[in-house]
Amino acid sequence: MPQSTQAPPPTHRPDASQVPERRTPHLPSASSELASLKIKLHQSIRQFPDFPAPGILFEDILPLFSDPTLHEAFIRALELHIHTNYAEGERPDVILGLEARGFLFGPSLALRLAAGFVSVRKQGKLPGPTETAGYQKEYGQDFFQIQTDAIKPGQKVLVVDDIIATGGSAAAAGSLVKKLGGDLLGYVFILELDFLKGRDELDAPVYTLLSSQPDGLGKNSLEKT
Ligand SMILES: O=P(O)(O)OC[C@H]1O[C@H](OP(=O)(O)OP(=O)(O)O)[C@H](O)[C@@H]1O
Ligand SMILES: Nc1ncnc2[nH]cnc12
């Protein structure tokens, strides 16, 4: 191939005084990212007055899972929370999800953390030997069960659920972890109904992404038809 005989283009050497200052692109910090995620999460949660019983303002977290971008950001926020708050070697071996809404994100979080996922179910759903704990929740009472071999003594366990209201459900799950000899690391919730002071019922650290809707019966509130 003949070599090009064309002269190379002149090197452009601009006058240094005229070069605009090069700026580092603005990268949002993890905390500002989390703050904007929290706003979006709040906006996605809907409220239904008088469901499932008169006087209960039901917080519907399901729409957050129908938007894949929000869903991904939510799981990422929980993963970041674990990585920044628990040193390596102190992280959960087991994510314990509470039926039913703890099942929506427990398994995804467990995979991200290379942890196992274990289910706590309502009474009568699990085969084989089980442990049982009864509890009172915001709108009724129930029983939780866990399979006796689901947690090995000494395993570090993080309990996850969508909402903490009175704390009854979470406290019952924590008691099951202890019955099986697990090391209860703490609790993670999407939303806390803080006026019910449910966290006072729990004897391990509690992390919630969001607290009660700031606007009460606000724009996300759907009137009963
Ligand atoms: O703090 P508490 O007063 O105990 O209330 C919180 C619990 O109530 C809801 O579950 P629910 O039993 O209604 O069942 P579901 O997830 O199966 O719909 C919620 O998902 C929590 O598990
Ligand atoms: N107000 C509420 N909304 C949704 N889930 C709940 N679980 C307990 N109280 C609740």
Side-chain angles (χ1 to χ4, degrees), residues 153-171:
Q155 279 192 312
K156 295 187 284 301
V157 181
L158 188 69
V159 176
V160 303
D161 202 1
D162 63 331
I163 285 174
I164 173 169
T166 64
S169 311

Side-chain angles (χ1 to χ4, degrees), residues 98 135 144 159 161 163-164 167-175 184 187 189 202:
L98 311 191
Y135 60 94
F144 267 157
V159 176
D161 202 1
I163 285 174
I164 173 169
S169 311
S175 77
L184 182 59
Y187 296 87
F189 304 95
L202 308 180

